[in-house]
Amino acid sequence: MRRRIHVGVLVLAIAGAVAAEPPKTMGELLAVSAPDDWRTPDPADTLYLELATGRVIIELAPRYAPRHIANIRTLAREGHYDGLAITRVQDNFVVQWGDPDKPVGTAARTLPAEFTQPVDPSAPFSPLASVDGYAPQVGFADGMPAARDAMGRIGWLAHCYGTLGVGRDNDADSGNGAELYVVIGHAPRQLDRNVTVAGRVLHGIELLAALPRGTGPMGFHEPPAAATRIERVRLAADTPAAERTQIEVLRTDTPLFAQLVELRRNRADEWYKVPAGYIDLCSVPLPVRVSAPSLSGPD
Amino acid sequence: MRRRIHVGVLVLAIAGAVAAEPPKTMGELLAVSAPDDWRTPDPADTLYLELATGRVIIELAPRYAPRHIANIRTLAREGHYDGLAITRVQDNFVVQWGDPDKPVGTAARTLPAEFTQPVDPSAPFSPLASVDGYAPQVGFADGMPAARDAMGRIGWLAHCYGTLGVGRDNDADSGNGAELYVVIGHAPRQLDRNVTVAGRVLHGIELLAALPRGTGPMGFHEPPAAATRIERVRLAADTPAAERTQIEVLRTDTPLFAQLVELRRNRADEWYKVPAGYIDLCSVPLPVRVSAPSLSGPD
């Protein structure tokens, strides 16, 4: 069996073997990672989107969209999204869900836009040493692809594959988190600073990305009956411990992560003949490792 | 019904209304396009990949991979791909098909790599005025996303969403076109100059991109029985006229296309609040318009 083009994007299972030579691939590097190279997302910032086909795990970004995240938490706790539909699946762009006409309970009906945020000097930011056409600086903040203005005083999260954004009307302040979308195509960076970014999918995005495309304009399902039902959306924090998924994400503020970026900027395994010498923000892998839900996990 | 985030990538049906004001959106611009702004791909360079769910239309790029395209034409004519399987569907990366163990008939078993090509000074190249991290110059050649070296003497096609590439083993010269892949995720530009690019999907990519992901390593289907069957692969030129799809692609060497790029670099419709001021190569839309197969079309 010949080898084929091969690039692992998420490494979910890591070979145990520790190489004696310096790691040449992501897999080899992750095999020598330490427990401290990984982080466990806060259950209060972890959203489970439950479909009939499985669980999509989303990490929320409260530092970048505090009001919207508070609203999304309320909507999830009050069962707002349960039974709603994924109404839109537009190829190479987004999936989107929600019902703008459904009452939002105790959540806010509209919120001021949180397209960008003043940067707290104490907030960690791991710069990526890559020129980026869409922003003066790019890198990783709170484990997510992020950007900053030239002075480093204003920050925002970037639209990459898996980014979770807040749908809105033409009015910048018309979003509230009741309608959400996830990027399932080439990074639509033109949306940066035009939408409140609420987080990113950590696991299970293929359950969204492989959905049948909507046949109406902009990928909306016509008839709407073709839309996929959302069984339930809950915070991990509101989910019984036994039903939580144990998940860890590679930290982006470590020497190991910096080494990973360089390994991906210039691939050294024998399949590659010409190293790129460059990596764009949305091509940097953010590995995740997952265990099955524990039956008696710690709270 | 509120508007939602909205960006049409392919415009398949164009509203007939002609705006009195300068076009602000791609749809408005295409509505004022002239017949000469469009081109009809050569049937000898148009491949129909027939699945049970429909037809995927691929345009081949003979200028960039002449030997491989000749081989792919031979393989298609001899029915090599018929009944084979889409063996790999890796989320945010590629779908891939073929059987490396099947005899290739009169086609070549291996071919010298065509990762790059000397640039013919007479070959058209429409530069994109965007800094690109992966190549000194980027733009469009033969209607496809392309790149050149700093001196403009060596060219290659870029890996964007929809790019068709030639699978190979570790040996650069081990590909022959019997195994092919299509990009279904964020542009994997690190593959540029490492793979022979054979063309790009013009229409029907959602039939590939929405396939269930393979559950094995690198997205290979395990068990292989889960792979999607390819009914048939034929050149449009070898297809009866009545069964051809009438397809046109927007030309990339026209003032109208240059105007489209600028409209997309800085979105002017009222939904956008902050124009990006930039567009990356793989975010430039390459619109296609399609008619149903004609019953008595010209040959």
Side-chain angles (χ1 to χ4, degrees), chain A residues 4-5 88 134 179 280, chain B residues 4-5 88 134 179 280:
Chain A
R4 297 163 166 101
I5 60 156
R88 179 186 188 187
Y134 292 98
E179 283 190 287
D280 65 282
Chain B
R4 296 162 166 103
I5 60 156
R88 178 185 188 189
Y134 292 97
E179 283 191 288
D280 66 281

Side-chain angles (χ1 to χ4, degrees), chain B residues 145-198:
Chain B
R148 291 187 171 195
D149 71 350
M151 303 296 284
R153 292 180 185 157
I154 302 290
W156 59 93
L157 297 179
H159 277 80
C160 295
Y161 194 87
T163 291
L164 175 77
V166 173
R168 65 163 172 87
D169 202 339
N170 278 352
D171 180 352
D173 297 337
S174 57
N176 64 358
E179 283 191 288
L180 295 168
Y181 66 89
V182 169
V183 173
I184 59 159
H186 181 70
R189 296 283 307 279
Q190 74 280 359
L191 296 177
D192 290 4
R193 297 179 291 157
N194 281 287
V195 182
T196 299
V197 174

Side-chain angles (χ1 to χ4, degrees), chain B residues 172-253:
Chain B
D173 297 337
S174 57
N176 64 358
E179 283 191 288
L180 295 168
Y181 66 89
V182 169
V183 173
I184 59 159
H186 181 70
R189 296 283 307 279
Q190 74 280 359
L191 296 177
D192 290 4
R193 297 179 291 157
N194 281 287
V195 182
T196 299
V197 174
R200 61 184 290 273
V201 174
L202 296 180
H203 190 60
I205 192 170
E206 70 280 4
L207 302 178
L208 301 175
L211 288 173
R213 277 43 182 161
T215 55
M218 302 195 301
F220 280 94
H221 280 293
E222 289 180 357
T228 299
R229 179 187 153 91
I230 293 170
E231 301 294 328
R232 195 172 58 252
V233 175
R234 288 291 183 281
L235 290 169
D238 297 333
T239 301
E243 295 168 20
R244 294 186 194 171
T245 305
Q246 304 301 313
I247 187 165
E248 291 179 293
V249 187
L250 197 71
R251 285 173 52 188
T252 54
D253 57 351

